[in-house]
Amino acid sequence: GNYPVKLKVFDLNGCSDSLVKNVAYYPVPPVIIIKPSSFIGCVPANIKFINESYPLDSTYEIIWNFGDGGTIDAVSPDHLYNIPGIYDISINITSPIGCKTSAVFNKLIKIEPSPTADFDYTPSDPSNINPVVTFQDASKYAVSWGWDFGDGGKSFIQNPIHTFKDTGMYSVTLYVKHQSGCLDTLTKILDVKPIITYFLPNAFTPNGDGINDEFKG
């Protein structure tokens, strides 16, 4: 901070004078300390970096380099990693009076690849007349699959076939896993529609000839 420093002087006759000046004391931190100290996560990974160095506040210039081309001037920033890889983190700190320090944290961040969940199904308009639905996995980079059909039914094969026993709206969710262990999910709403059919036998001949003139349901 700024400290008032006072100087008072005396001569041989006992006369005195004094002067006060503010001295700016803004040193850089002797050690740069950040959190996390290491990180392993899946794409996309949004990381909150905490700068625990002291002394430090918003009057300091603090340049972060996240190793993926991203930089920011902030005390404790957030950063989103969208590409798998291993990243070094570097920090450059300049105090308000121009003192400088820096640090590099090698291989601090490891971002694993993730799968992308997607699926289609046929028929596209299932109903009580046609309740058997075939699901086709369209995910990318998946090595295992888990299905929740929203009616209590589940499956763990890639392309399952499921029969819906009643009409209604069902939330069908696909869970997929990458070989790295990272996960992704996708939910689609499937509408099994009620269809009412009416059967009228062609033997019904209401022509007034007394034969098959009436139909009783």
Side-chain angles (χ1 to χ4, degrees):
N2 293 303
Y3 293 90
V5 177
K6 182 178 182 180
L7 172 65
K8 191 171 185 179
V9 294
F10 301 87
D11 65 9
L12 294 176
N13 300 314
C15 298
S16 65
D17 192 17
S18 63
L19 176 68
V20 177
K21 285 187 176 182
N22 284 324
V23 175
Y25 179 67
Y26 289 94
V28 292
V31 179
I32 296 178
I33 304 171
I34 67 170
K35 288 185 177 179
S37 57
S38 64
F39 181 89
I40 299 177
C42 301
V43 167
N46 190 51
I47 304 174
K48 175 67 175 181
F49 291 92
I50 306 297
N51 197 334
E52 296 187 337
S53 310
Y54 182 83
L56 208 63
D57 59 30
S58 60
T59 63
Y60 285 68
E61 181 184 77
I62 307 161
I63 304 299
W64 293 74
N65 188 316
F66 300 108
D68 63 348
T71 61
I72 194 172
D73 180 2
V75 177
S76 296
D78 295 329
H79 186 68
L80 179 65
Y81 286 92
N82 285 309
I83 300 175
I86 299 175
Y87 298 98
D88 301 333
I89 304 298
S90 64
I91 305 176
N92 291 276
I93 299 176
T94 303
S95 77
I97 58 175
C99 300
K100 297 179 182 293
T101 189
S102 63
V104 177
F105 301 88
N106 293 313
K107 300 179 180 180
L108 185 76
I109 304 298
K110 183 178 182 180
I111 306 299
E112 300 279 9
S114 294
T116 302
D118 194 12
F119 66 90
D120 299 310
Y121 58 89
T122 55
S124 58
D125 53 351
S127 66
N128 58 324
I129 302 299
N130 192 7
V132 180
V133 179
T134 299
F135 292 90
Q136 299 93 27
D137 170 55
S139 306
K140 295 181 180 179
Y141 317 118
V143 296
S144 65
W145 302 262
W147 298 84
D148 184 339
F149 300 112
D151 62 352
K154 299 182 185 300
S155 178
F156 298 96
I157 65 175
Q158 185 176 4
N159 299 300
I161 298 174
H162 184 70
T163 301
F164 292 90
K165 297 181 180 180
D166 199 0
T167 59
M169 306 288 286
Y170 295 95
S171 296
V172 179
T173 302
L174 170 61
Y175 302 86
V176 294
K177 180 186 289 187
H178 191 275
Q179 64 181 2
S180 66
C182 295
L183 305 173
D184 192 28
T185 64
L186 177 68
T187 298
K188 292 185 179 182
I189 303 300
L190 190 147
D191 185 8
V192 180
K193 298 178 180 178
I195 296 178
I196 300 174
T197 60
Y198 184 76
F199 173 72
L200 185 64
N202 57 14
F204 176 46
T205 58
N207 56 6
D209 62 358
I211 302 174
N212 298 327
D213 288 334
E214 296 182 1
F215 177 77
K216 295 181 180 181

